Structures are given as structure tokens and as C-alpha cells.
Amino acid sequence: MANQTPLYSALVQHHRLGRSAFHTPGHSGKEISFLAGLLQLDVTELPDTDSLFEAEHVILQAEQHAAQVFGTTRTLFSAGGCTLCIQAMLRLVSADSSKKTIVTDRILHRSAVNAMALLDLNPVWLLPRADAGSGFPGRIHPDDVEAFLKQYQDAAAVYITSPDYFGVLADIKKISEVCRRYQVPLLVDNAHGSHLFLMPENLHPIHLGADMTACSAHKTLPVLTGGAFLNIVSDTYVHNAKDAMALFGSTSPSYPIMASLDLCMRWAETKGKAAYSQLQKRVLKIKELAVEKGIVIPTGATDPVRITLQTASLGITGEEAAEIFRTYLVEPEYADDGNLVLIATPFHTEQDFLRVEKAIQALPNKRPVTLNAVLPPLPNSVMSVRQAVFSPWEEINLEDSIGRIAATTACPCPPGIPVVMPGEMITEEIAMFLKKYRFLTIKVVK
Ligand SMILES: Cc1ncc(COP(=O)(O)O)c(C=O)c1O
């Protein structure tokens, strides 16, 4: 092999491009002094370094400090990302084996679908109302949660993703009131919103009434990739929380990642609020510039520091816009057929923001494309998620898939709402819809 270090070389080469990193991790690629030097702290469980899943002293103390900063009953560290927190949350609410139904939004991340397969849980799907503008999935409405809780009286939990990838926030306060009335715990996948407690107005779902949240700290906060928090408010779940995490987690969690979570909490406590208040103002200017240019952004309650640009309103795809951003030395977080997403953090410099502004100004103004896909009706679920995920599968052409059972999720973006989930029957409308989005094949149960 010519290059004996293909991955390492690619990373070094990418680093040399000198792009402003508007993507995860939330330290934004900056050599933040408090994160430098963590490599030498890459140790293992020793008498004086504690053990994540049996935390008794220093890890427990670090977690207790984090709980104080977040205002929770218990906060647990994860070095296995938000995925591990999601697995643990779902495990905790499914301890009662007679309750297998999870009332959940259809825009959920695949880590949750996989966890439901592993735990043999049955999702029932809430659809968002398209109230954030066309081309965005929208928000789960509290009235819809209530209707589902009336219908599914054996629900083990309500599980909502907020904010979504575009920064759109559900009304967690109202949803949590509904959940409390029906005595069903509210779990929030807050992967993209770990920083929300630092906004001038505390927008963190734990503050707004969620029982548990999975927070992918590394996405928006100065934490090494893989660092996340499981936040718990209800006493009910505290006792078994470590065991629930240990069920899925590696027995060798990274100490540098855990140390970065610990350092992040000190940063949050001492500097976080001031830093986010300033960031919010800077991002607002960028959003105003985008709107002036004619770019659509999500409407209603949103994460004030997430930059989502619906480039379709300029007649270009998000991917095309991303290429233009790269020529201005900006690497975005995400691009699809109609949108571009940037993650801004307090660690970006004025030079980084100026690059973003120049890139926005450089986008061409073509004929706007409206993104108002009408989704096919939800298909029937004919097999449990678990059965579908663990069955033998084959990949077949879409034309041949009608009447077959999906073994995987198919989710065209935009709008980012899966049209079929594992265990659901593929209809003609679904196959046609996916074809329009340039899907050619799909994995189905054999
Ligand atoms: C909404 C959402 N939930 C969960 C996850 C999983 O987070 P992690 O990569 O920290 O495991 C992601 C990752 O992209 C996500 O976007």
C-alpha cells in the first residue's frame, strides 16, 4: 500500500486546509488551552482515577458537579456519545416488561431506532406539524402528544427530539405538562442542545420539564468527540442509571473524553453564560444578513445560535452552497438538497464569522425552489422493529420493493422525516416518493 496511514494522512491534510470548522465537535477545532494536553491523561481505571460505571470518588464528584451546573438530580458522564445516553434512557423506562410502547416523534435519530430494536420496544409515531416553514420537518405539538397518551395508556415514555438538526425547538414545557398529567416520563434527545442552558433564557429541556435528557455535549460544547451527558431529574431512574449505561457501554471509557466533560462544566459555570450571550448577538447578525439576501430560515422557537440556511430559496442546493462555503474556507456541519447547517460556538473568532458572511454574500440568487414535499401516508407496521432489524435482509430495487417489509429506515432530506421504518410495509406511494429523491434500492426483510 502506497500510503500506510490513509486515515491519519487525510486528517492531517484536512487540518492543513485551514478551514473554519462550523461543525461538531463544539471546540470548533480550536486549541482551547483547557483541552490541550489531555493526551497525557489517557489512563485507565486506577485506584486514584475511579471507574465510570462504578463511580465512587473522583468521577462521582465530577458528575455531581455537572448535576449542580445543569440543575439535575443526577448527571452521568458518557464517553460513548449521546447514543449511549439514549440507550440508557430507553432501558430505564422499559424496566417494566409489560410496557413496551414508546410514543415518539418520527424524526428520531437512528441510535434510538437501534436502541428500540435492542430493547424490543414498540414505537408509535407522532408526526411533526409543519410549523417551522416549508422544507423543515416542524414541531411535535403538545395536543398530539395528549391524543396519543389517551390512546396508548400503556406507554412507557414519550420520547421527543428537540432541537432538531435545523435548530427547531419543540414546546417542551407544554409537552412535559401533558406528560405529567398522564404520569408518563418525558425523555428528550437533546443531542444538539447541550448548550441551551447557557443561553440568556434557559432553553434546556431539563429546565423546561423533561424527566431525562441525552445531551451530545461534544456536538456544541468544548468537549472531545464522544463526550455526552445523561441528565436525570426523576429520582425513579437514578438508582439503576449506571447499570443501564454499563449494559451498552465499553468497559474502557476514554479518560481524556471524561476529563473534557469535567473541564467543560468548569468553563460553563465560569464563562459559559457570557460567552453564549455574545455568540447569540453575533449569530443574529449573520441570520439577518442571510434573510436580507433572501434566504429562508426556520420560523418560531429555534436554537438562537444554530445557523440554518434554506439555500433552496436562492435556487441552489445545500450541497452546492457548501462548495461555495468551502471556497471561503468554511466547512459546514451539514448540507442536503435544500439546506445548509452551521454550528457556531463561542470559540469561533471574528475571522471565522467574517468568512461565513462573505460566503453568504457570494451565494448566487437564482429562481427559488419551494420545498413542500407531501409525504406519503404512514405505512402499516407489520413486524416489530426488533424483528425487522435482526432478520436476514436483502437489498433490492425500489420497483421490486412494493409489499415487502423494510429492514431499515429510509429518510429523504429535506424534509428529514423517515417515510419508512424497520418493520413497515413498503407501499407503491413510498417507493415512488423515494425514487423522486434519487433512492434506487432499499434493504428489505428476506
Ligand atoms: C438527533 C441526534 N440524536 C442522537 C445522535 C447521536 O449522538 P452521538 O453521535 O453523540 O452518539 C445524533 C448524532 O448525530 C443526533 O443528531
Side-chain angles (χ1 to χ4, degrees), residues 80-84 86 107-109 111 159 161 163-165 189 191-192 216-219 226-228 333:
C82 193
T83 299
L84 182 57
I86 289 168
I107 47 172
L108 87 177
H109 189 254
S111 54
Y159 179 105
T161 306
D164 70 7
Y165 219 88
D189 174 352
H192 290 271
S216 205
H218 67 94
K219 289 198 196 305
E333 160 69 15

Side-chain angles (χ1 to χ4, degrees), residues 235-247:
D235 282 330
T236 326
Y237 304 115
V238 169
H239 184 64
N240 293 331
K242 281 282 176 187
D243 282 352
M245 270 200 156
L247 182 62

Side-chain angles (χ1 to χ4, degrees), residues 152-169:
Y152 298 99
Q153 293 189 358
D154 63 338
V158 171
Y159 179 105
I160 305 278
T161 306
S162 177
D164 70 7
Y165 219 88
F166 303 112
V168 173
L169 296 169

Side-chain angles (χ1 to χ4, degrees), residues 86-87 90 100 102-105 108 110-125 159 385-386 390:
I86 289 168
Q87 291 167 331
L90 288 169
K100 296 241 164 221
I102 307 289
V103 173
T104 183
D105 58 295
L108 87 177
R110 71 187 147 125
S111 54
V113 180
N114 292 343
M116 289 188 205
L118 289 168
L119 293 162
D120 199 11
L121 298 175
N122 302 322
V124 288
W125 303 113
Y159 179 105
V385 173
R386 181 182 175 85
F390 288 106

Side-chain angles (χ1 to χ4, degrees), residues 22 28 220 276 279 283 305-307 342-348 353:
F22 278 87
S28 310
T220 56
Y276 268 95
L279 178 66
V283 168
V305 298
R306 177 61 55 110
I307 303 173
L342 307 175
I343 296 181
T345 74
F347 305 100
H348 286 118
F353 293 124

Side-chain angles (χ1 to χ4, degrees), residues 264-284:
C264 171
M265 287 295 95
R266 184 182 65 184
W267 175 84
E269 201 174 29
T270 54
K271 301 191 176 143
K273 279 243 169 211
Y276 268 95
S277 160
Q278 211 174 336
L279 178 66
Q280 178 172 355
K281 288 184 201 136
R282 189 64 188 88
V283 168
L284 181 63

